Amino acid sequence: MELVFYIIRLALHLLVVYGLWLMVKPLVERHLRQLGQKIDLQMNLRRSLLRKKVNKPDKRIWLYRHLDDLLYFAHRRYEPGISIMRFTMRTVFLFAAVFLSTLLTLRELPGHMSFSNPFLEGISFGERMPIEEAWRLPLFVSVIAASIPYLRMRYTYAQRKVRGSYDLLDVIKIASKFTHLSVDSILSRTADHLTVDNVLKTPLRLLGAGFANYSNEFELKEEAMRFSGAIGTTFAIEFVSDLLYCEKEGTRHLKSSLMMLNRSMEQQRETILTVKAGSRDAISLGIYGNLVVLVSSVGTFMYMLKPDVYFKLQFQTKVGLAFLMVIISGLFLSFIISTILARPKLDYH
């Protein structure tokens, strides 16, 4: 009961820190946009200077570029420089909030917690640990908590990457209606006609701004390859290549090229749907079948051995714990593979 009480206190500490963040947030947002634009300009200038030198790439630029590329496709309202500043500030604040809240909660405990096998001894309190030595657990918990926004962004990025390969088909269909305009106007008009659910709406608008405001050919290619790399399909590379060619030579043949690309994507989409329909049962079995087998097997063993004997063999022996970890890992891996196969990218392979 005491442990539940201290968990509640930890939650209240986090709530207080969150309230302080809501009070400070309007003041921070006022200067965040200017700071984000300034940092983005400095990073772009640093990259342009490094391109002129034959040196090793700056690791700080690599990290900034990595997070910026993820936010470019994972964030629905992405803004260059500003989005990465918001993400960084939220991550740092989450780290500090969890660290301070956990540290304050540990100071209120009657002694030092020690964890053993939860089915044997559970949690016990020993002698009180000095506050100078109590920072390890809060640091560990805060690092895990601070990594959650990044892991969530990676998951969103992977999901939107798959959706983007299908949404590109809508982009090509709409863009083929505006081939009488310049490339930047085609992209802007297409972005305006896309639905809100289309994940390429914001990247396409940024790509149109890149075609309208580039200062040199390398900068234009970098922005175009960023768009195609975010989708990660051969169709996206072909689409971007057509745009770069038309920027140089004009849009006379763009309509026919987009129509051919549209036809190829439709054929590949039909092929994927046909293959997916044929393997639907196997995919569903990989997602849910193993879980059903595990539950039925555990129920059978508990009925045959009695629950107390089963729990003792499963959780109080090293072999039982090892097999449990293997089973859980296999279930997780099977679920991930089946989820990927359930909706593959719209690509040639």
Side-chain angles (χ1 to χ4, degrees), residues 63-239:
L63 180 60
Y64 179 88
R65 190 66 176 177
H66 171 69
L67 295 176
D68 196 45
D69 288 341
L70 291 177
L71 290 168
Y72 171 78
F73 211 55
H75 201 280
R76 188 180 294 273
R77 298 179 180 178
Y78 168 79
E79 296 178 272
I82 302 174
S83 295
I84 192 171
M85 282 297 302
R86 288 174 178 166
F87 174 79
T88 304
M89 288 192 61
R90 289 171 183 171
T91 303
V92 171
F93 178 82
L94 181 61
F95 176 86
V98 174
F99 180 81
L100 292 176
S101 300
T102 309
L103 187 63
L104 290 175
T105 304
L106 287 179
R107 291 186 62 182
E108 297 172 356
L109 291 176
H112 172 56
M113 287 189 301
S114 61
F115 297 88
S116 302
N117 190 323
F119 295 93
L120 289 175
E121 302 176 10
I123 301 173
S124 59
F125 291 95
E127 296 181 359
R128 187 178 183 88
M129 179 182 292
I131 190 62
E132 293 80 7
E133 302 178 5
W135 57 270
R136 295 181 180 87
L137 178 61
L139 180 63
F140 176 74
V141 175
S142 58
V143 168
I144 294 178
S147 64
I148 292 177
Y150 176 78
L151 296 176
R152 179 176 176 271
M153 181 175 62
R154 291 285 302 188
Y155 176 78
T156 305
Y157 177 82
Q159 293 292 318
R160 291 171 71 89
K161 200 177 182 71
V162 176
R163 286 186 56 189
S165 64
Y166 290 87
D167 289 346
L168 182 63
L169 184 58
D170 296 332
V171 171
I172 293 173
K173 289 180 179 179
I174 298 175
S176 61
K177 301 177 182 178
F178 302 106
T179 53
H180 59 284
L181 302 174
S182 60
V183 176
D184 59 299
S185 299
I186 292 173
L187 297 174
S188 299
R189 290 286 189 89
T190 304
D192 293 337
H193 284 77
L194 291 176
T195 61
V196 181
D197 297 333
N198 195 302
V199 299
L200 298 179
K201 189 177 182 69
T202 300
L204 197 68
R205 185 175 285 114
L206 293 172
L207 181 62
F211 271 89
N213 303 313
Y214 69 94
S215 58
N216 54 68
E217 185 177 354
F218 186 88
E219 183 179 334
L220 176 62
K221 288 183 178 179
E222 188 179 43
E223 188 65 31
M225 295 310 295
R226 186 186 191 189
F227 177 83
S228 62
I231 303 174
T233 62
T234 309
F235 294 121
I237 297 176
E238 188 173 349
F239 174 66

Side-chain angles (χ1 to χ4, degrees), residues 293-322:
V293 172
L294 177 64
V295 173
S296 60
S297 301
V298 169
T300 303
F301 285 128
M302 290 180 66
Y303 176 77
M304 295 174 60
L305 301 174
K306 303 303 179 183
D308 53 345
V309 177
Y310 170 78
F311 282 117
K312 183 176 182 180
L313 294 176
Q314 184 70 74
F315 297 103
Q316 297 183 10
T317 61
K318 293 183 179 180
V319 176
L321 290 173

Side-chain angles (χ1 to χ4, degrees), residues 255-266:
K255 188 176 184 65
S256 59
S257 179
L258 291 180
M259 295 299 292
M260 292 178 59
L261 183 58
N262 177 48
R263 194 177 305 114
S264 300
M265 293 185 69
E266 287 283 4

Side-chain angles (χ1 to χ4, degrees), residues 227-297:
F227 177 83
S228 62
I231 303 174
T233 62
T234 309
F235 294 121
I237 297 176
E238 188 173 349
F239 174 66
V240 165
S241 299
D242 290 341
L243 296 179
L244 292 174
Y245 176 81
C246 293
E247 181 68 15
K248 289 183 178 180
E249 306 295 335
T251 59
R252 290 179 303 170
H253 306 290
L254 180 60
K255 188 176 184 65
S256 59
S257 179
L258 291 180
M259 295 299 292
M260 292 178 59
L261 183 58
N262 177 48
R263 194 177 305 114
S264 300
M265 293 185 69
E266 287 283 4
Q267 292 176 355
Q268 188 64 18
R269 180 173 174 271
E270 292 297 328
T271 302
I272 291 175
L273 292 177
T274 303
V275 174
K276 181 181 175 181
S279 58
R280 183 176 301 170
D281 294 337
I283 294 174
S284 300
L285 184 63
I287 297 177
Y288 305 108
N290 294 331
L291 187 60
V292 173
V293 172
L294 177 64
V295 173
S296 60
S297 301

